[in-house]
Amino acid sequence: SQQGEEDPQALSIQEGENATMNCSYKTSINNLQWYRQNSGRGLVHLILIRSNEREKHSGRLRVTLDTSKKSSSLLITASRAADTASYFCATAPPQGQLTFGSGTQLTVLP
Amino acid sequence: DTEVTQTPKHLVMGMTNKKSLKCEQHMGHRAMYWYKQKAKKPPELMFVYSYEKLSINESVPSRFSPECPNSSLLNLHLHALQPEDSALYLCASSQDHLGRSSYEQYFGPGTRLTVT
């Protein structure tokens, strides 16, 4: 079953702007992960945030996690055309499998 | 080496054919996965191998048959597929599994399968 729902489904911004994607989930988690997928390619792991963490940074990426609201957000700052891709959140429950959300298609216009 | 390789990149097969997809990783990961992904959808888990043993089969039809010859290799044997099986098939690996999914997964580029 699909654990995460992402919002928005599609996002189009200008180069240099910030992009924010949100992920909501339903059950308890050990961690939440974000992945990027370029069209027709494999997924690339971006960042993992544990259930006891609230915020994490990696380069131009900032991830927040609110376990009380069962939600996470991914912020990409100063976006580039090369950031154009689909972004998926994935939840890792205490027992069971990594489950991917529905994804956000980000388009960064040059 | 943090790469997962998959062959072939593209595969077109008829419904009576038998073919195999191959996946290889040299990161020392002990868990390997097969996913199926349809266009504009998230990956769907098919199989998980943990320490070279099949640990999870997500009710996948028997026309898909996984095999893990050793800790670095994962195969997916295909037989008598249907047109609706056309999809991107992704292989992934992670450090460990042991019934839990806490580790990040490393994905291969996928095999684009078309069943005619």
Side-chain angles (χ1 to χ4, degrees):
Chain A
S1 63
Q2 197 163 293
Q3 166 76 303
E5 293 296 328
E6 292 180 63
D7 167 54
Q9 287 189 329
L11 179 61
S12 185
I13 60 174
Q14 295 292 134
E15 209 165 23
E17 293 180 339
N18 296 342
T20 300
M21 288 158 266
N22 302 296
C23 171
S24 60
Y25 57 94
K26 295 176 183 167
T27 61
S28 61
I29 59 171
N30 270 350
N31 65 61
L32 187 144
Q33 303 174 28
W34 285 90
Y35 289 81
R36 183 188 76 229
Q37 185 178 32
N38 289 84
S39 181
R41 303 289 293 171
L43 282 75
V44 174
H45 181 263
L46 296 176
I47 197 164
L48 181 154
I49 186 165
R50 292 183 171 79
S51 59
N52 61 354
E53 296 176 309
R54 291 295 165 260
E55 188 171 313
K56 203 161 182 180
H57 297 254
S58 176
R60 294 183 296 113
L61 306 181
R62 173 178 167 251
V63 168
T64 63
L65 179 64
D66 187 335
T67 52
S68 66
K69 295 181 179 177
K70 291 187 167 56
S71 68
S72 174
S73 68
L74 170 67
L75 168 68
I76 304 174
T77 60
S79 62
R80 306 165 182 169
D83 294 328
T84 294
S86 293
Y87 291 81
F88 294 94
C89 67
T91 49
Q95 291 290 336
Q97 309 315 307
L98 196 66
T99 306
F100 289 86
S102 51
T104 293
Q105 172 61 51
L106 173 66
T107 302
V108 181
L109 302 168
Chain B
D1 182 2
T2 58
E3 190 179 24
V4 176
T5 59
Q6 288 187 246
T7 55
K9 289 186 179 179
H10 301 274
L11 179 62
V12 179
M13 60 185 291
M15 289 189 283
T16 58
N17 291 160
K18 285 185 181 180
K19 297 286 184 183
S20 296
L21 309 185
K22 296 185 183 301
C23 173
E24 190 167 5
Q25 58 89 12
H26 293 288
M27 293 177 277
H29 288 169
R30 304 315 300 267
M32 296 185 77
Y33 310 78
W34 280 115
Y35 288 88
K36 173 183 177 180
Q37 187 180 27
K38 292 283 212 178
K40 299 189 187 301
K41 296 290 186 183
E44 296 177 11
L45 183 66
M46 300 175 71
F47 302 104
V48 180
Y49 272 83
S50 180
Y51 291 85
E52 299 159 53
K53 287 184 168 37
L54 182 65
S55 64
I56 293 172
N57 175 342
E58 293 284 1
S59 303
V60 179
S62 59
R63 57 186 184 269
F64 295 90
S65 175
E67 180 196 17
C68 189
N70 60 54
S71 60
S72 299
L73 293 174
L74 188 65
N75 298 323
L76 186 62
H77 303 297
L78 314 173
H79 174 53
L81 294 193
Q82 304 297 309
E84 59 265 29
D85 296 322
S86 298
L88 181 68
Y89 287 83
L90 294 163
C91 173
S93 69
S94 68
Q95 184 176 343
D96 210 332
H97 188 261
L98 297 176
R100 296 174 296 178
S101 56
S102 293
Y103 297 99
E104 58 264 41
Q105 295 185 15
Y106 293 78
F107 282 79
T111 293
R112 174 72 59 190
L113 174 67
T114 303
V115 182
T116 60

